[in-house]
Amino acid sequence: MLKTRIVTALVLLAVLLPVLYSNNPTAFAVVASVFFGAAIWECFRLFNPGAKSAVAIAVAWTLAFAYAFFMREQGDPTFWFAIGALLWALRFAPTLKLGLPPLASTPNTLLSLLYAISLVACFAAIVMLFQYSALFLLSVLVIVWSADIFAYVCGKTFGKNKLAPSISPGKSWEGAIGGGIVTVLLASLTVLFGGEALANTFAVRVQASFGWAGMLGVIALIVVASVVGDLFESQLKRRAGMKDSSNLLPGHGGVLDRIDALVPVLPLAALIATRL
């Protein structure tokens, strides 16, 4: 399993990094649309396990996404970022406490559509952040990856109090808080010692615009949002009786398993970026 995970990760890096740094809009559009389509397909499978229409739905949503964000002149995408942030704050985050509706119900169908809209907001944010620069987009991703990695390390080392035992028993408060603290420290070190090489990264730009208190608050907010996104997808998988959102990425599960923490974060980061 470890070997499979490593091979898959290397293949993904071999595909994604050249696309990000090739300055080829067509290649970026194709890759972004493919990943969006995979995420939408997994989304509708999680909300309606066994549904035979998931592929057709995913194709329709992907064509609409590609047309809206790559085949026509783009307007102001801020609307999508605001919608994404509001959906997570007002609808998805409360679900962690209130629970999900039954699978075979109208509220569940509506919730699936809202989650699909949040995926549109997430990938619209990817498009916008990439337009700032590949480094700027990666710097946001690194914040989330750092929070996840160090939450795992701190949880394994210090974890005693379960964060959400009914959703994801392996996560602890100590892990989440420890991951957040380490991530804030790393962001601070980037600002202090990054120099010209990291001048166009998210944390540095936020600090320059909002000061230290603003930067620390934004990074902390992003860490919290990443935890919420991770837990929400875990809640969907537990209800659907699935270990992974799919088997598209051998050793890693599905696309949603890799981006679950990013879905609420990227629209929020993009919304903040419009103010830098």
Side-chain angles (χ1 to χ4, degrees):
M1 178 62 74
L2 179 59
K3 182 179 179 181
T4 302
R5 289 175 65 91
I6 292 173
V7 170
T8 301
L10 291 175
V11 170
L12 286 173
L13 288 174
V15 172
L16 295 177
L17 288 180
V19 168
L20 287 177
Y21 283 97
S22 67
N23 199 28
N24 186 325
T26 301
F28 177 78
V30 169
V31 170
S33 297
V34 167
F35 275 87
F36 173 80
I40 285 287
W41 173 67
E42 293 173 356
C43 161
F44 285 106
R45 287 177 73 248
L46 284 173
F47 280 94
N48 190 8
K52 297 180 180 179
S53 60
V55 172
I57 292 172
V59 169
W61 277 74
T62 303
L63 291 174
F65 172 81
Y67 175 76
F69 292 99
F70 297 118
M71 298 179 188
R72 61 186 291 272
E73 185 176 346
Q74 294 182 34
D76 184 0
T78 306
F79 164 80
W80 287 105
F81 310 149
I83 287 294
L86 285 172
L87 282 175
W88 280 98
L90 301 178
R91 184 62 185 93
F92 301 133
T95 301
L96 300 179
K97 179 68 174 179
L98 301 176
L100 292 165
L103 282 171
S105 67
T106 299
N108 181 62
T109 300
L110 294 175
L111 190 64
S112 71
L113 293 173
L114 292 179
Y115 191 64
I117 290 171
S118 78
L119 289 174
V120 174
C122 171
F123 279 83
I126 289 174
V127 174
M128 184 268 216
L129 294 170
F130 176 71
Q131 290 173 349
Y132 276 71
S133 73
L135 177 61
F136 191 81
L137 170 59
L138 285 172
S139 70
V140 178
L141 303 184
V142 166
I143 293 171
V144 177
W145 295 337
S146 168
D148 184 52
I149 291 169
F150 287 104
Y152 176 81
V153 173
C154 293
K156 283 291 185 182
T157 307
F158 307 109
K160 293 182 179 179
N161 299 288
K162 301 297 183 183
L163 178 61
S166 64
I167 298 174
S168 186
K171 292 182 172 58
S172 66
W173 281 102
E174 291 83 358
I177 294 171
I181 291 173
V182 174
T183 300
V184 167
L185 288 174
L186 291 175
S188 301
L189 291 174
T190 301
V191 174
L192 290 171
F193 305 110
E196 287 298 319
L198 299 180
N200 193 35
T201 55
F202 183 78
V204 173
R205 293 279 300 275
V206 170
Q207 193 278 331
S209 296
F210 303 130
W212 277 101
M215 188 274 287
L216 296 175
V218 165
I219 300 300
L221 179 61
I222 283 178
V223 171
V224 171
S226 73
V227 173
V228 171
D230 189 342
L231 288 175
F232 184 75
E233 200 229 355
S234 294
Q235 191 177 32
L236 291 177
K237 289 189 292 186
R238 182 171 288 273
R239 183 186 63 166
M242 297 180 180
K243 181 179 182 295
D244 299 311
S245 58
S246 78
N247 295 314
L248 289 177
L249 304 175
H252 292 267
V255 171
L256 281 181
D257 294 321
R258 296 300 92 205
I259 69 168
D260 52 3
L262 295 170
V263 180
V265 164
L266 290 176
L268 179 61
L271 197 62
I272 293 168
T274 61
R275 299 294 183 264
L276 299 181

